[in-house]
Amino acid sequence: MKRNLGVVIGILAVLVLFFGGTAIRLYTDWLWFGDLGGAFRSIFSKVIWTKLAMAAVFGGLFFVIVYTNLRIARRLAPPPSRTRAGWEEEVRARVEDFIRRGLGAVILLGSLAIALFVGLNAAGQWEQWLKFANSTPFGVHDPLFRADVGFYVFKLPFYSFVYNWLFGTILVAGLATAILHYVDEGIDFYGNVPRFAPGVKLQLGILVAVLFFLKAVGYKLSMYNLVLAPGRLFDGAGYADVHARLPALWILLVAAIIGGILVLVNIRRRGIMLASGAFVGLLVLSVLVGYIYPSAVESLRVKPNELDAQRPYITLAINATRQAFGVDKIQSSKFDYQPDLTPADFEANRAAVQNIRLWDYEPLRRAYNQLQVFQPYYEFNDVDIDRYMVKGAYRQVMLSARELAGLPSNANTWVNRYLRYTHGYGLAMTPVNEATPEGLPVYFASGIPVATVEGLEVTTPQVYFGETTNDFALVNTKREEFDYAVGGASEITTSYKGDVGPRLNSFFRRLAFAARFGDMNLVLSQDITPGSRILFKRNISDRARTIFPFLTYDRDPYLVTIKGRLYWFLDAYTTTSLYPYSDATEESGIRYIRNSVKIVTDAYSGKVTAYMFDPSDPIIRTYAKAFPGAIRPASEMPTEFRAHVRYPEDLFRVQTEVYARYHQTDPAVFYSGNDLWAIPTMGTTAEQTQGEQLEPYYLITRLPRSTKDEFILVLPFVRPGRPNMVAWISAKCDPEEYGQLISFEFPRGETVFGPAQVMARANQDTVISQQLTLWGQAGSSVVRGSMLAIPISNSILYVEPLYLESTSNQIPEFKRVIVSLGNRLSMEPTLQSALSVLMGGANISVASQTTGIRQALPTAVGGRPAQASEAAQGLIRQANEQFNRSQQALKRGDWTAYGKEMDALAKTLRELQGKSQP
């Protein structure tokens, strides 16, 4: 009994050692999923049970097949031959007998160990099984086999997995059985001729025949893979595939079946001539008809007459690719380009002009981090762009959450890190087209507490979940959570009111989380109560990936404020690389993509809601069947949320890359490549006009032949190697026509400057280049914003903002804007003056510079702005004087004086920031 108890304890110790960490993670994840809601826990449970079932079925079958064959091999083993010529031979025989008796245990344990690894590998195919079991037809058939696309996306991967698993299992069983027979003297060689003990040839012959028959199945599966094969001109089966490789696979399939039959016949014959002939014959056929013949057809028939031979298959590839990436729905329209605009055109497109973006993402982020952080443990990680109704006007804005960053080293204690400083606070929001006279951002929302313009009030500013929030947090403990500071050392504290986050209401739970995070303070801390919660997986992207591991995610979540709360919007995609005849993208290799899901995460509570935005997508319908209730219909998204849905940049980027080639629908034009488009590349310095691809950008404008202002996503096209613009494409974001894509093509033969050409012209302008050179000296650097091509009426207005950044204070200040229209170019301190110069002095109405709130001043308890102290007011006056003197020195070209004044200004701003901080 004691011996058995020791064995049990030993087994448990081994299990804990190898699987204890996994068990703890599964338990804590189970608590986490359950806290988010029953539908999400069902995802977790179904995935776990599917993995266990896959591991049990395929690992168990592997064990049964391999171990059964090895046991049969042991029973078929002939008795060992031995001669007792002396005591040495007797000792050797007894040792061999001992080894043979222990071989059974080795076979059992070895089979179990390998079966375990096979089962774990099979568990990784859980998603293939769920898609197979819940498959949804696409309603589109491949042109070669007339199989529904759903067969390739949902069923073929699982069939291929089962085939590879079964072939590998039989191969392992056959090799292990043959080796065991040889060791047991069931196989001997006399000369070069093998001889078999009774039953041995039958067992091995059946295993080899099964391999031949399985190979025939493999050839059949390979036929389907022809429509997915990568090619030089297009992906999918071409002329040589259809007329050479496909017949070759049929020949090999029949040959494999005949080979299996010959192996079975050979069981009752002496020797292995038939089996050997079958193997060699299949190998020779594989080389002759599987490789040489298709290569000959490719070289002799296809290459000399490629267009004629491949024409029907090019058409198939064009249609499939356009459909798979959704670019077949792009409406093509002519753009009646006019190089000039009139003041009346600007007046008719007032919203477009008043929402021209003068702030770039990175300069604005740096400005926020210099002017809006207030405490060393906050950080603005990323700037997003969106649109809001502000005082009755449709305004494009840029905004960013003030997230919790790392604590200073002297304050980075365990209590501070996990119990007190648990969240970020509020946001900064800026209209895209405004700057103060000093070149700093104008704010619609800023400060701590958050001050906003009317209509954008933020009542729940705490950011517990964000883009950079990776630590866990302990809330509702005996320690009060720091919210913000007022006055000298006074603090405002808060307590988490959300209902998300597993409760730490038992010692076992605390121990489990302590083990998961490797932090025994979770057990030892006396600040944790039964009502305390642990918030983890607080990074919103990781949070979504954990809940929905079968989706692909956009790289840029964006912040939205609705009814006083902050939310994160994240676009999710369904993708596959198994769409027949569709051309795979170079970067990711996908052949199909849909933006089927929008995920909304509450920045305060962490609650996650997913909405299905493309119910026509068979892939998301398949997942919805597998996980019912986890994804809500788009109709359930509140109207306030729908107003902030954007067409995602990542999807638009993929579609535009595809459309640059697949806007061509004529196979002859496609083959010639004479009408290829390209996404413009832009330089990163004043001397460069080539570099990274231009990123898509959002605008509020009025499309041609439209009567309303819309929030759209835009990207221009040029010719490869030629910077002239040939077209631009837009994606509508507003709810009424969300997702509508329109391509506007310029008249052929019309010369329209592309972004790189406009940048080059600006670099060559003597006034502009001289000013940039002057600014780039004496401790300052010029930061160039993105060159935006903005469609207004039937023309294109180019706008590029310029910022000046001192190396001492590192606050980007908006200083100039370059605008270009047709052949005209100007650079002025404001957009209004630049447009006026461009239009020959005509007054062009641009949004007022006074629509925002002032830079946030120190705040008192209750959120009311406090009056600046006399010392702070003196510093403000001093800063203005230093700035004015620096500008006067700049005009004189006195770089020494300019540098001194800028350094003094930086020092004053730091002092002012210290006065303004709580």
Side-chain angles (χ1 to χ4, degrees):
M1 183 68 180
K2 290 182 178 180
R3 181 180 178 183
N4 292 337
L5 181 61
V7 172
V8 171
I9 293 174
I11 293 174
L12 289 175
V14 171
L15 291 175
V16 169
L17 179 64
F18 285 97
F19 301 105
T22 301
I24 289 170
R25 180 168 288 275
L26 288 175
Y27 171 67
T28 52
D29 278 348
W30 181 77
L31 294 174
W32 183 83
F33 271 93
D35 216 46
L36 286 172
F40 292 155
R41 178 172 278 181
S42 69
I43 295 179
F44 174 76
S45 301
K46 193 160 193 175
V47 170
I48 294 300
W49 284 114
T50 303
K51 287 182 177 180
L52 291 174
M54 295 282 287
V57 169
F58 288 96
L61 286 175
F62 179 90
F63 173 78
V64 169
I65 293 172
V66 173
Y67 184 69
T68 299
N69 274 280
L70 294 177
R71 289 289 298 171
I72 293 173
R74 296 243 61 204
R75 292 185 179 181
L76 294 176
S81 59
R82 86 175 47 163
T83 56
R84 302 190 179 218
W87 68 271
E88 293 178 351
E89 286 72 13
E90 181 67 23
V91 170
R92 181 186 300 171
R94 295 192 178 194
V95 170
E96 290 176 355
D97 287 342
F98 177 77
I99 293 174
R100 286 172 184 271
R101 286 195 297 270
L103 189 59
V106 172
I107 291 172
L108 175 61
L109 294 176
S111 299
L112 283 172
I114 298 175
L116 176 63
F117 285 107
V118 170
L120 292 174
N121 178 69
Q125 304 298 318
W126 63 270
E127 188 176 352
Q128 301 294 358
W129 163 252
L130 288 178
K131 290 194 292 186
F132 176 85
N134 298 278
S135 61
T136 303
F138 275 66
V140 179
H141 297 83
D142 85 272
L144 189 57
F145 302 106
R146 304 303 303 165
D148 187 271
V149 171
F151 167 80
Y152 295 92
V153 175
F154 303 125
K155 295 185 177 181
L156 184 60
F158 187 72
Y159 288 146
S160 298
F161 161 71
V162 173
Y163 163 74
N164 290 322
W165 170 85
L166 191 55
F167 191 90
T169 298
I170 300 300
L171 182 63
V172 169
L175 291 174
T177 300
I179 292 171
L180 188 58
H181 277 310
Y182 181 77
V183 171
D184 283 337
E185 300 180 2
I187 301 176
D188 276 326
F189 287 88
Y190 292 90
N192 293 324
V193 180
R195 294 191 178 183
F196 303 92
V200 171
K201 191 175 184 181
L202 173 63
Q203 183 186 16
L204 292 177
I206 291 175
L207 289 172
V208 173
V210 170
L211 288 175
F212 271 89
F213 295 140
L214 285 174
K215 190 62 180 174
V217 175
Y219 287 131
K220 179 61 178 177
L221 294 177
S222 295
M223 296 180 191
Y224 292 113
N225 285 320
L226 289 177
V227 296
L228 303 170
R232 183 181 62 84
L233 282 176
F234 55 87
D235 289 356
Y239 182 93
D241 297 303
V242 174
H243 293 86
R245 290 186 179 89
L246 182 58
L249 287 171
W250 278 114
I251 293 171
L252 291 171
L253 185 151
V254 174
I257 294 175
I258 294 173
I261 295 172
L262 290 176
V263 170
L264 292 176
V265 171
N266 196 86
I267 293 173
R268 303 186 63 85
R269 294 172 175 266
R270 298 187 62 182
I272 57 171
M273 289 297 295
L274 287 178
S276 299
F279 176 78
V280 173
L282 187 60
L283 186 63
V284 171
L285 273 177
S286 298
V287 174
L288 291 177
V289 304
Y291 177 73
I292 294 178
Y293 174 59
S295 298
V297 171
E298 189 79 42
S299 299
L300 301 177
R301 173 66 181 89
V302 176
K303 286 186 178 179
N305 310 281
E306 192 167 41
L307 177 58
D308 291 337
Q310 301 285 34
R311 183 187 295 270
Y313 308 105
I314 292 175
T315 300
L316 295 175
I318 291 173
N319 294 336
T321 302
R322 287 170 57 87
Q323 189 174 53
F325 288 96
V327 301
D328 60 325
K329 295 181 174 61
I330 295 178
Q331 300 175 20
S332 181
S333 179
K334 297 298 181 182
F335 189 70
D336 299 324
Y337 176 71
Q338 300 293 329
D340 293 322
L341 290 172
T342 66
D345 292 323
F346 283 105
E347 182 61 27
N349 292 271
R350 178 186 292 267
V353 177
Q354 294 184 347
N355 284 282
I356 289 175
R357 178 157 64 88
L358 301 180
W359 284 102
D360 227 23
Y361 296 100
E362 184 57 25
L364 185 59
R365 188 188 72 86
R366 293 205 298 273
Y368 281 172
N369 277 315
Q370 289 291 326
L371 303 171
Q372 284 289 312
V373 164
F374 301 127
Q375 297 291 347
Y377 37 80
Y378 291 135
E379 180 184 26
F380 291 93
N381 172 67
D382 184 35
V383 174
D384 301 312
I385 194 164
D386 201 357
R387 72 285 198 195
Y388 289 81
M389 292 299 297
V390 181
K391 297 182 179 180
Y394 200 34
R395 299 299 300 272
Q396 188 174 199
V397 303
M398 302 179 82
L399 67 166
S400 182
R402 188 182 289 104
E403 296 194 58
L404 188 65
L407 293 173
S409 58
N410 61 337
N412 194 17
T413 65
W414 189 84
V415 172
N416 279 344
R417 184 174 179 180
Y418 298 112
L419 278 70
R420 278 182 47 76
Y421 295 91
T422 56
H423 57 273
Y425 192 94
L427 77 161
M429 180 188 291
T430 296
V432 298
N433 64 320
E434 295 187 33
T436 67
E438 296 79 22
L440 299 177
V442 171
Y443 295 100
F444 282 170
S446 69
I448 298 178
V450 181
T452 66
V453 296
E454 184 180 352
L456 292 178
E457 291 78 12
V458 177
T459 57
T460 308
Q462 292 82 6
V463 181
Y464 283 90
F465 300 83
E467 292 185 271
T468 61
T469 313
N470 297 312
D471 275 345
F472 67 84
L474 300 170
V475 295
N476 300 337
T477 66
K478 295 179 181 178
R479 298 276 181 173
E480 294 181 326
E481 299 172 48
F482 175 84
D483 211 20
Y484 59 89
V486 294
S490 300
E491 293 182 353
I492 301 298
T493 59
T494 188
S495 180
Y496 178 72
K497 303 296 193 299
D499 58 356
V500 173
R503 293 185 183 274
L504 300 175
N505 53 10
S506 70
F507 175 78
F508 181 75
R509 285 193 178 191
R510 293 173 65 173
L511 184 63
F513 282 108
R516 172 168 184 155
F517 295 111
D519 191 341
M520 286 306 296
N521 288 311
L522 287 165
V523 175
L524 301 175
S525 175
Q526 297 182 2
D527 292 320
I528 299 175
T529 70
S532 299
R533 294 178 181 270
I534 182 169
L535 307 181
F536 65 105
K537 295 185 184 295
R538 296 200 291 156
N539 183 295
I540 53 173
S541 295
D542 293 342
R543 198 171 183 83
R545 286 185 177 90
T546 303
I547 299 172
F548 304 107
F550 40 83
L551 298 176
T552 304
Y553 293 91
D554 196 272
R555 290 174 289 183
D556 185 27
Y558 61 100
L559 184 71
V560 174
T561 174
I562 299 173
K563 292 186 175 180
R565 297 181 72 92
L566 301 178
Y567 298 91
W568 295 100
F569 280 43
L570 178 60
D571 288 284
Y573 310 103
T574 54
T575 63
T576 182
S577 59
L578 301 173
Y579 198 102
Y581 274 102
S582 178
D583 195 1
T585 60
E586 291 184 8
E587 183 177 349
S588 60
I590 61 171
R591 290 191 168 98
Y592 172 95
I593 185 171
R594 291 292 186 272
N595 174 217
S596 298
V597 180
K598 307 280 187 181
I599 297 176
V600 179
T601 304
D602 191 313
Y604 180 87
S605 70
K607 182 181 178 182
V608 176
T609 310
Y611 299 95
M612 186 189 300
F613 258 68
D614 189 356
S616 66
D617 172 29
I619 298 181
I620 199 61
R621 298 214 312 269
T622 294
Y623 287 128
K625 286 194 288 186
F627 306 107
I631 304 175
R632 299 183 181 183
S635 59
E636 294 185 13
M637 176 179 274
T639 304
E640 298 86 355
F641 285 56
R642 289 188 71 98
H644 293 280
V645 167
R646 304 184 323 191
Y647 200 84
E649 289 183 71
D650 281 357
L651 173 62
F652 192 64
R653 189 179 292 109
V654 170
Q655 288 180 315
T656 51
E657 288 176 355
V658 171
Y659 194 67
R661 184 183 186 194
Y662 283 92
H663 67 278
Q664 308 166 102
T665 56
D666 184 277
V669 176
F670 180 92
Y671 178 80
S672 67
N674 291 331
D675 194 27
L676 289 175
W677 295 351
I679 297 171
T681 55
M682 299 299 297
T684 56
T685 69
E687 290 76 24
Q688 294 176 320
T689 57
Q690 297 296 319
E692 295 183 356
Q693 283 188 340
L694 184 68
E695 293 291 322
Y697 47 93
Y698 294 96
L699 297 173
I700 288 180
T701 192
R702 184 170 295 183
L703 293 175
R705 294 175 290 280
S706 175
T707 58
K708 63 179 180 178
D709 303 313
E710 301 177 77
F711 186 63
I712 61 173
L713 186 59
V714 172
L715 192 66
F717 287 111
V718 297
R719 294 285 184 195
R722 292 166 54 193
N724 290 347
M725 194 190 300
V726 294
W728 59 278
I729 187 170
S730 69
K732 296 189 177 185
C733 299
D734 291 338
E736 298 81 6
E737 298 176 292
Y738 173 81
Q740 187 179 101
L741 299 169
I742 305 177
S743 170
F744 295 92
E745 299 183 29
F746 292 95
R748 291 184 179 272
E750 185 79 41
T751 299
V752 182
F753 289 130
Q757 288 176 310
V758 175
M759 179 178 283
R761 291 182 62 227
N763 294 340
Q764 295 164 8
D765 185 278
T766 55
V767 175
I768 295 176
S769 61
Q770 183 181 14
Q771 184 68 73
L772 295 180
T773 302
L774 289 174
W775 275 342
Q777 301 174 10
S780 297
S781 60
V782 176
V783 179
R784 302 188 69 159
S786 299
M787 176 70 73
L788 303 182
I790 302 172
I792 295 180
S793 189
N794 287 321
S795 192
I796 298 293
L797 177 70
Y798 281 99
V799 178
E800 180 187 12
L802 302 177
Y803 315 92
L804 193 62
E805 185 173 33
S806 169
T807 55
S808 56
N809 62 30
Q810 295 183 336
I811 303 177
E813 298 174 352
F814 170 75
K815 290 302 178 186
R816 295 289 189 275
V817 58
I818 298 172
V819 295
S820 175
L821 182 66
N823 293 318
R824 289 172 288 172
L825 188 75
S826 70
M827 182 181 75
E828 295 295 328
T830 67
L831 178 62
Q832 183 161 348
S833 59
L835 292 176
S836 178
V837 170
L838 203 66
M839 300 303 297
N843 183 30
I844 305 299
S845 176
V846 178
S848 168
Q849 302 292 312
T850 60
T851 58
I853 59 174
R854 296 188 64 184
Q855 169 75 30
L857 296 174
T859 50
V861 178
R864 293 180 178 275
Q867 294 299 318
S869 66
E870 291 185 7
Q873 291 176 357
L875 289 172
I876 293 172
R877 287 193 295 271
Q878 181 178 323
N880 285 327
E881 292 170 0
Q882 290 165 339
F883 178 79
N884 291 332
R885 287 197 297 267
S886 72
Q887 296 305 298
Q888 292 170 6
L890 182 62
K891 292 179 180 179
R892 296 194 308 269
D894 188 347
W895 299 112
T896 302
Y898 174 79
K900 289 181 179 179
E901 293 296 341
M902 291 301 293
D903 289 340
L905 175 60
K907 182 179 178 181
T908 302
L909 289 175
R910 285 195 295 270
E911 292 180 17
L912 179 60
Q913 187 175 7
K915 297 287 185 184
S916 301
Q917 286 178 354

